[in-house]
Amino acid sequence: SMSFNEILSMTRDFSRINSVWGALIKGSSVCFGYASAYTYLMNRRGIPCATVCGNNSEETLGTGHAWNIAELNGEWCHIDCIFSDWEQSEESKSRGEVSYVYFGLNDTQNSLSHNFKLPFAEGMPRCASTKNNYFRVKNLLFDSVDLRKIANRVVDVLQESGFGIKKTGYKTIQI
C-alpha cells in the first residue's frame, strides 16, 4: 500500500506534467501539457489557438491525446508539438533537429493519426487548407514526380544547409 505522501507526490507530478508549468518551466510534460503551453504562447501573441482532445489512431498507441488547432494566415490548421518531438530519435534531438511533420495539417491529413472527441469537435473550426503545411511553406512538396526537379530541390536544400555540394549537370551531383 502507498502512503499519503506517496499519493500526494504522484498527484503533484501528474498535475505538473499536464500543465503549462510542466512544459515550459520544468521541461517535462505529456501531450496535454505541450498543447496547453502552445495554446498559451500563441494566445499571448494574439494568435487564435485551442487545445483539442481526442486520441491518436496509431494502432500501437490508440490512447487519449491532445494537440492544437491554430489560425495562421487566416486559415485554421492542426499542430501537434509532442508528436513532432516524440517521433525524433535522441540522436537527432541532441543535434538540435526539429521535426515539422505534424505542423500545419488539414483535417484529412490530421485524421490519418488523430481522432477528435465529441462534443468539442462539433464546434471546432474546420481545417481545410494546406496553406500552412510546413512542407508547403518551405517549398518541399511536389505537385508531380519530376526526378530532375526533386534532385535540384534536394541539392538546393543541402546547399542552404551549408553542405559542400555543387551541381555539375542535371544527372550528376558532386559532393
Side-chain angles (χ1 to χ4, degrees):
S1 86
M2 296 176 69
S3 72
F4 176 75
N5 286 336
E6 290 172 319
I7 294 170
L8 185 60
S9 177
M10 284 178 54
T11 303
R12 284 185 184 141
D13 289 345
F14 182 76
S15 66
R16 283 187 195 119
I17 64 173
N18 274 291
S19 69
V20 173
W21 172 266
L24 298 179
I25 306 302
K26 296 303 257 177
S28 178
S29 184
V30 294
C31 58
F32 190 78
Y34 269 73
S36 297
Y38 192 81
T39 296
Y40 171 77
L41 293 171
M42 295 293 278
N43 288 333
R44 292 279 305 194
R45 299 288 302 160
I47 299 169
C49 182
T51 299
V52 179
C53 294
N55 58 35
N56 59 55
S57 55
E58 302 277 330
E59 284 186 33
T60 56
L61 300 174
T63 58
H65 187 55
W67 65 95
N68 300 96
I69 58 167
E71 185 180 14
L72 305 176
N73 304 311
E75 301 285 345
W76 285 90
C77 61
H78 295 269
I79 300 164
D80 192 331
C81 300
I82 198 164
F83 262 35
S84 292
D85 188 32
W86 176 70
E87 287 198 344
Q88 286 186 275
S89 69
E90 289 304 317
E91 183 180 326
S92 66
K93 287 180 189 179
S94 70
R95 290 192 304 261
E97 295 174 4
V98 178
S99 170
Y100 297 99
V101 171
Y102 295 93
F103 190 93
L105 302 180
N106 65 24
D107 289 334
T108 303
Q109 294 164 332
N110 196 63
S111 70
L112 297 174
S113 58
H114 297 71
N115 293 317
F116 318 136
K117 270 191 184 167
L118 296 173
F120 180 79
E122 291 174 0
M124 186 171 78
R126 294 293 105 202
C127 302
S129 175
T130 59
K131 178 174 142 182
N132 292 304
N133 180 283
Y134 174 82
F135 299 100
R136 181 168 304 287
V137 170
K138 294 294 186 179
N139 197 27
L140 297 172
L141 293 178
F142 298 95
D143 296 326
S144 62
V145 177
D146 178 339
L147 295 179
R148 187 175 330 150
K149 185 177 177 183
I150 292 171
N152 285 332
R153 184 64 184 132
V154 167
V155 169
D156 291 343
V157 169
L158 290 172
Q159 286 175 332
E160 290 166 12
S161 300
F163 286 89
I165 290 182
K166 64 180 180 177
K167 296 177 189 175
T168 60
Y170 82 89
K171 288 188 178 181
T172 59
I173 299 171
Q174 199 171 41
I175 299 177

